[in-house]
Amino acid sequence: MKTSIGAKTLLFPTPVLMIGTYDQDGKPNLMNAAWGGICNSQPPSVGVSLRKATYSHGCIIARKAFTVGIACEARMTEADYIGMASGRNGNKFDATGLTPVRSELVDAPYAQEFPLVLECRLLHVFELGLHTQFIGEIVDVKADSDVLGDDGLPEILKIRPLIYDTGHKGYYGVGEFLGQAFSVGKALVS
Amino acid sequence: MKTSIGAKTLLFPTPVLMIGTYDQDGKPNLMNAAWGGICNSQPPSVGVSLRKATYSHGCIIARKAFTVGIACEARMTEADYIGMASGRNGNKFDATGLTPVRSELVDAPYAQEFPLVLECRLLHVFELGLHTQFIGEIVDVKADSDVLGDDGLPEILKIRPLIYDTGHKGYYGVGEFLGQAFSVGKALVS
């Protein structure tokens, strides 16, 4: 028997996404979003949910673009600061020392220091309630070469992405490899 | 300088979600979805993206409900099998030995063996391309009592959720606690 714990926004794991935007003055900004992920393969798309009160919300609508950087263990302090401060009151790149890079493909910046970044063109805006979900087409993915495997794809143990615990608001690392998908389940094929 | 690796659906980490539905004959089914997550807090909502070709797609539309179970390390083999087989050709509960439980709140089943489950009422259907995104209102969350902390909220290290690596299709565990959100970033507050 399971225990009812109420209608809560609990799901495990969630990512730590660094959403990059320009404001109306061209100032680069980052926000920290746990509520997002891939949502479509053709066209390749990512969804991120932001409250209307966030500074980034208006920036995405105005520029019709954003980037999604993957926060990593080595940048946990910066990622958390980005989730605490608002771009309305300052420049988070200056405060963290992160390096803004202008995307050549979409009208949005990203931080050089996060190892993987998705460059996104705004496709859809869905008003869900307190949050707005922005669906972006992934125009390109940029990666640091030292997180790529021999096959040219990123390796999770080289990225070392942060994992966010929505229950108790902790950051965790990725643990050990447990098994290969589309393989371990074959044990149950009769 | 970052390397371009193309417009790929890469994001780290992604969850391993067990989507529970009934088909038109009342047969319970589960599918394995990595593309989903919380997307709104009021009303509390979760989004999951499914290809139209999946058996579960039509079930969600017909019943206007689904559940989201969190796959855990101890059930990796079952979770992976659920991602390999189709409910069109058999009963995945029978094949895995998992126990179907009828939700008392929504018209969908879940597996007793996954430690946390979200019971969802269909709110929105967004056609994004190859995938359809289903937005469900989280009507309740049910948890095994042994994954709850003293405060009544689930603990990630007790759930031991699977982490899916979309790059190389591996399952990983959750690693060590690294820091507290809204706290470690204070080091950068000037």
Side-chain angles (χ1 to χ4, degrees), chain B residues 20-31:
Chain B
T21 52
Y22 286 120
D23 73 4
Q24 59 183 2
D25 298 323
K27 183 179 75 178
N29 190 33
L30 290 169
M31 76 166 277

Side-chain angles (χ1 to χ4, degrees), chain B residues 18-188:
Chain B
M18 302 281 103
I19 311 301
T21 52
Y22 286 120
D23 73 4
Q24 59 183 2
D25 298 323
K27 183 179 75 178
N29 190 33
L30 290 169
M31 76 166 277
N32 181 327
W35 293 357
I38 302 295
C39 60
N40 186 27
S41 55
Q42 291 175 21
S45 308
V46 60
V48 294
S49 289
L50 278 64
R51 286 176 298 113
K52 290 177 199 69
T54 62
Y55 193 56
S56 301
H57 188 285
C59 299
I60 293 177
I61 300 238
R63 302 278 182 146
K64 302 195 187 314
F66 60 94
T67 66
V68 179
I70 306 298
C72 55
E73 290 187 18
R75 299 295 176 174
M76 175 176 65
T77 303
E78 291 88 340
D80 192 49
Y81 175 85
I82 286 162
M84 295 168 63
S86 171
R88 204 170 268 122
N89 311 316
N91 184 319
K92 296 193 209 178
F93 281 92
D94 290 348
T96 55
L98 296 172
T99 312
V101 178
R102 177 179 291 275
S103 166
E104 295 179 355
L105 301 174
V106 302
D107 190 11
Y110 58 88
Q112 180 65 37
E113 288 79 3
F114 297 116
L116 195 83
V117 62
L118 285 58
E119 296 164 281
C120 303
R121 181 174 69 86
L122 184 62
L123 280 186
H124 305 287
V125 179
F126 297 135
E127 298 297 347
L128 300 180
L130 185 63
H131 284 75
T132 303
Q133 187 188 43
F134 295 104
I135 308 289
E137 178 180 354
I138 303 166
V139 177
D140 195 20
V141 179
K142 298 278 196 307
D144 290 344
S145 54
D146 62 3
V147 302
L148 299 178
D150 293 339
D151 61 359
L153 286 175
E155 295 191 0
I156 193 169
L157 293 181
K158 291 180 175 173
I159 296 175
R160 306 209 70 77
L162 291 174
I163 290 164
Y164 185 57
D165 164 13
T166 53
H168 289 96
K169 305 189 190 309
Y171 297 115
Y172 290 78
V174 173
E176 63 179 338
F177 175 78
L178 299 173
Q180 196 63 32
F182 307 103
S183 176
V184 293
K186 289 179 184 169
L188 290 171

Side-chain angles (χ1 to χ4, degrees), chain A residues 1-17 34-47 49-51 68 70-71 73 76-78 80-81 83-84 95-96 110-118 123-124 126-133 135 138-145 148-149 151-157 159 161-190, chain B residues 1-17 34-47 49-51 68 70-71 73 76-78 80-81 83-84 95-96 110-118 123-124 126-133 135 138-145 148-149 151-157 159 161-190:
Chain A
M1 271 297 290
K2 286 182 154 53
T3 303
S4 166
I5 57 174
K8 294 185 165 61
T9 50
L10 293 166
L11 188 140
F12 301 88
T14 57
V16 180
L17 305 177
W35 292 358
I38 302 296
C39 60
N40 186 27
S41 56
Q42 292 174 21
S45 308
V46 61
S49 289
L50 278 63
R51 286 177 299 113
V68 179
I70 305 299
E73 290 187 19
M76 175 176 64
T77 303
E78 291 88 340
D80 193 49
Y81 174 85
M84 297 168 62
T96 54
Y110 59 87
Q112 180 65 35
E113 288 79 2
F114 297 116
L116 194 82
V117 61
L118 285 58
L123 279 186
H124 305 287
F126 297 134
E127 298 297 347
L128 299 180
L130 185 63
H131 283 74
T132 303
Q133 184 183 226
I135 308 289
I138 303 166
V139 178
D140 195 19
V141 179
K142 299 277 197 304
D144 290 343
S145 54
L148 299 178
D151 60 0
L153 287 175
E155 295 192 0
I156 193 169
L157 293 181
I159 295 174
L162 290 174
I163 290 165
Y164 185 57
D165 164 13
T166 53
H168 290 95
K169 305 189 189 308
Y171 296 116
Y172 289 79
V174 173
E176 63 177 339
F177 175 78
L178 299 173
Q180 195 65 30
F182 307 103
S183 176
V184 292
K186 289 179 185 171
L188 291 171
V189 175
S190 56
Chain B
M1 271 296 290
K2 286 182 153 52
T3 303
S4 166
I5 58 173
K8 293 186 165 61
T9 51
L10 293 167
L11 188 140
F12 301 88
T14 56
V16 180
L17 306 177
W35 293 357
I38 302 295
C39 60
N40 186 27
S41 55
Q42 291 175 21
S45 308
V46 60
S49 289
L50 278 64
R51 286 176 298 113
V68 179
I70 306 298
E73 290 187 18
M76 175 176 65
T77 303
E78 291 88 340
D80 192 49
Y81 175 85
M84 295 168 63
T96 55
Y110 58 88
Q112 180 65 37
E113 288 79 3
F114 297 116
L116 195 83
V117 62
L118 285 58
L123 280 186
H124 305 287
F126 297 135
E127 298 297 347
L128 300 180
L130 185 63
H131 284 75
T132 303
Q133 187 188 43
I135 308 289
I138 303 166
V139 177
D140 195 20
V141 179
K142 298 278 196 307
D144 290 344
S145 54
L148 299 178
D151 61 359
L153 286 175
E155 295 191 0
I156 193 169
L157 293 181
I159 296 175
L162 291 174
I163 290 164
Y164 185 57
D165 164 13
T166 53
H168 289 96
K169 305 189 190 309
Y171 297 115
Y172 290 78
V174 173
E176 63 179 338
F177 175 78
L178 299 173
Q180 196 63 32
F182 307 103
S183 176
V184 293
K186 289 179 184 169
L188 290 171
V189 175
S190 57

